[in-house]
Structures are given as C-alpha cells and as structure tokens.
C-alpha cells in the first residue's frame, strides 16, 4: 500500500541536542511538507520541497533544517536553536494541485 | 488576523444530528478548498476537495463554498460517534501547492 511513513512515533530530546525526524513516502509525489501542530494553533508550515534537491522555508523555519536528496525522503532536523520544540510534527506529500497525504506524525518532547 | 479562521469548538451533538462546520477566509485568491478529518494523535485525512463556489456531496458529507462571502462549510448528516474528531479546513490559490489551514474544530458526537 502506498503511503507516508513517519518515524519514530515518539521522540524525546534533551536540552541542547539535535534530533532528526524521518519521513518516507512511496506515492511518487514530487512535493513534500513538514508541519508543526500545537494545541489550539492548527498546522504551521516549517519547510516544503517541490522537487529533489530544492526546498523553501515556511512560516516557522527558524531552528529547523531539512534535506531532500531523494524523492522518497524528506527528513527534518530539530536543532538546539529551536527553543520550544515540544509539539506534534506532521509530514505530508502531494502531486501538483492535489490534496495532501499526511503521515501519522511524530510527537517530540523535550526532557 | 489569521488568513483562515475556524471556531475551535468543541462542538457537541447527539448521535444522528447534523454537524455544521465552517471557515471564513480573507484571501480572495483562494480557489481550491478542502476539509480534513484528524483523529487524536493521528495525521489528517482528506475528506472533501472542491474548486471555486458551489456544493459537493459525498455520502453523508456535503461541502459548500461561497466565494462572494469568503465562507466555506462542511455538513455531516446522520452523525455517528465515529465522526468525533477535529475537522480542519484548508485552501490554496490556483498556482502552487501550498495549503493554508484553519485551526480546526473539535467535534464530539455523543451516543
């Protein structure tokens, strides 16, 4: 079955540590996205990529980094510069003009 | 002011009632409108996808778009407890893939 796989489901980060969230899709979609979801705030766009080796900042990119070396993969790194990283992170993909297909999310908690 | 506004709820209805959800927006360039359903701790899933003004029906779900009023609605007939979830509206302009999301409305259908 085609879909998007996010891992891990739960992640704990210590202060000052970088962590990487994985996102893999087998839908052959060109575009991929990372969103952050906080209670009562809806989805906020962190980064997006329209094609391989290209990506753009979203509305809240500070403290995050991404890469897009393969069409199937769009990992997100939460760096130590992100001061409030505790949130639910969602990865999505789409074809041009289509709706998004979302993964099941990663819940990141700072300990 | 947010580009897309959505009442956060919660909206509580008895089983079998009609659920009425809506979003207002400020960007008159939005042409494509979507509704997503998100269960707790899961990724959103696409329910309805409409273009420009008008109605679209799919089973128990009806989506309406009124571009002149910058207002979209989702109606759920014969609501079931399994419809209890957060419903997110999303929209985009004609060119490009980026979606702008509302904050979501939490719905609770009581047996």
């Amino acid at each position: 079955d085609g879909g998007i796989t996010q891992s891990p489901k739960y992640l704990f980060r210590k202060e000052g540590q970088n962590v990487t969230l994985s996102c893999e899709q087998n839908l052959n979609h060109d575009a991929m996205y990372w969103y952050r979801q906080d209670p009562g705030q809806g989805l906020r766009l962190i980064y997006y990529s329209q094609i391989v080796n290209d990506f753009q900042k979203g509305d809240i990119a500070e403290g995050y980094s991404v890469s897009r070396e393969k069409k199937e993969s769009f990992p997100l790194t939460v760096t130590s510069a992100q001061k409030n990283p505790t949130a639910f992170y969602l990865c999505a993909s789409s074809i041009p003009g289509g709706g998004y297909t979302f993964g099941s999310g990663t819940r990141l908690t700072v300990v | 002011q947010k580009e897309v506004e959505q009442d956060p709820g919660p909206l509580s209805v008895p089983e079998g009632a009609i659920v009425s959800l809506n979003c207002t927006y400020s960007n008159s360039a939005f042409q494509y409108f979507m509704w997503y359903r998100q269960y707790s701790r899961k990724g959103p899933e696409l329910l309805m996808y409409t273009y420009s003004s008008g109605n679209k029906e799919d089973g128990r779900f009806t989506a309406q778009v009124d571009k002149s009023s910058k207002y979209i609605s989702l109606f759920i007939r014969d609501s079931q407890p399994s419809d209890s979830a957060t419903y997110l509206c999303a929209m985009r302009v004609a060119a490009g893939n980026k979606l702008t999301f509302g904050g979501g409305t939490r719905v609770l259908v009581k047996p």
Side-chain angles (χ1 to χ4, degrees), chain A residues 9-10 31 33 35 37 40-43 45 48 50 59 88 90 94-105 107, chain B residues 2 8 32 34 36 38-46 49 86 88-90 92 94 96-104:
Chain A
K9 199 172 181 66
Y10 299 96
Y33 314 82
Y35 283 88
Q37 189 173 34
Q41 295 222 29
L43 299 176
L45 182 63
Y48 64 104
Q50 306 275 34
D59 302 317
F88 189 49
L90 286 161
S94 74
I95 57 173
Y100 291 4
T101 300
F102 282 89
S104 295
R107 187 165 299 277
Chain B
K2 294 181 182 178
Y32 295 87
M34 281 144 267
Y36 287 82
Q38 184 178 22
Y39 291 115
S40 182
R41 298 185 181 88
K42 300 289 186 185
E45 55 180 326
L46 182 63
Y49 188 122
T86 296
L88 299 147
C89 64
R92 68 173 181 85
N97 295 328
K98 272 180 55 179
L99 292 181
T100 301
F101 285 86

Side-chain angles (χ1 to χ4, degrees), chain B residues 20-33:
Chain B
S20 176
L21 303 165
N22 58 74
C23 289
T24 58
Y25 62 95
S26 56
N27 186 351
S28 58
F30 286 139
Q31 294 278 355
Y32 295 87
F33 304 91

Side-chain angles (χ1 to χ4, degrees), chain A residues 44-61:
Chain A
R44 292 186 289 167
L45 182 63
I46 304 172
Y47 268 97
Y48 64 104
S49 169
Q50 306 275 34
I51 56 172
V52 175
N53 292 323
D54 186 53
F55 49 82
Q56 288 80 40
K57 292 181 179 180
D59 302 317
I60 55 164

